[in-house]
Amino acid sequence: QPVVRLSQQGIRVFSWDLPFHGPGQDPHAAMHQWANEFIHRSSFISDFLDLCQNNIAYLIDQGLVDPHQLGVAGLSRGGFI
C-alpha cells in the first residue's frame, strides 16, 4: 500500500472509502453495485466527489492541510475517480 510508505516519510495521509467499500461491505460485490448505480443513479460518482471536496475543504479549514501542498491519489477505481 503506497500510503504506508508515504506515512513513514512523515506525509500526513487522510483516506475515505469509495462507494460500496468499507465496514460491513463486500468488496467483491462492489463492481456489481457500481454497475447497478450507473444504471439507476448515474450521479452517484458526482455525489461522492462532492463529499470528497467537502472533506478536503474541512481539512483545510481546520488547518490540517496546506492547500498549496496537497496531493490526491487512489488505486484502481479510486485512481479513476
Side-chain angles (χ1 to χ4, degrees):
Q1 295 290 335
V3 297
V4 172
R5 188 169 190 114
L6 292 171
S7 65
Q8 289 171 343
Q9 295 177 16
I11 296 172
R12 184 176 286 165
V13 176
F14 299 93
S15 64
W16 46 92
D17 293 321
L18 288 172
F20 310 113
H21 289 74
Q25 300 280 332
D26 178 2
H28 301 288
M31 287 300 292
H32 296 288
Q33 291 172 302
W34 274 52
N36 192 45
E37 283 297 303
F38 273 121
I39 292 168
H40 295 99
R41 191 174 64 93
S42 60
S43 68
F44 89 100
I45 294 292
S46 60
D47 294 344
F48 178 71
L49 291 174
D50 289 343
L51 173 67
C52 294
Q53 289 174 329
N54 289 337
N55 288 343
I56 291 168
Y58 174 81
L59 294 171
I60 291 169
D61 290 344
Q62 296 298 306
L64 298 170
V65 171
D66 180 344
H68 303 290
Q69 295 186 9
L70 170 68
V72 179
L75 299 173
S76 190
R77 277 171 281 132
F80 164 73
I81 288 176

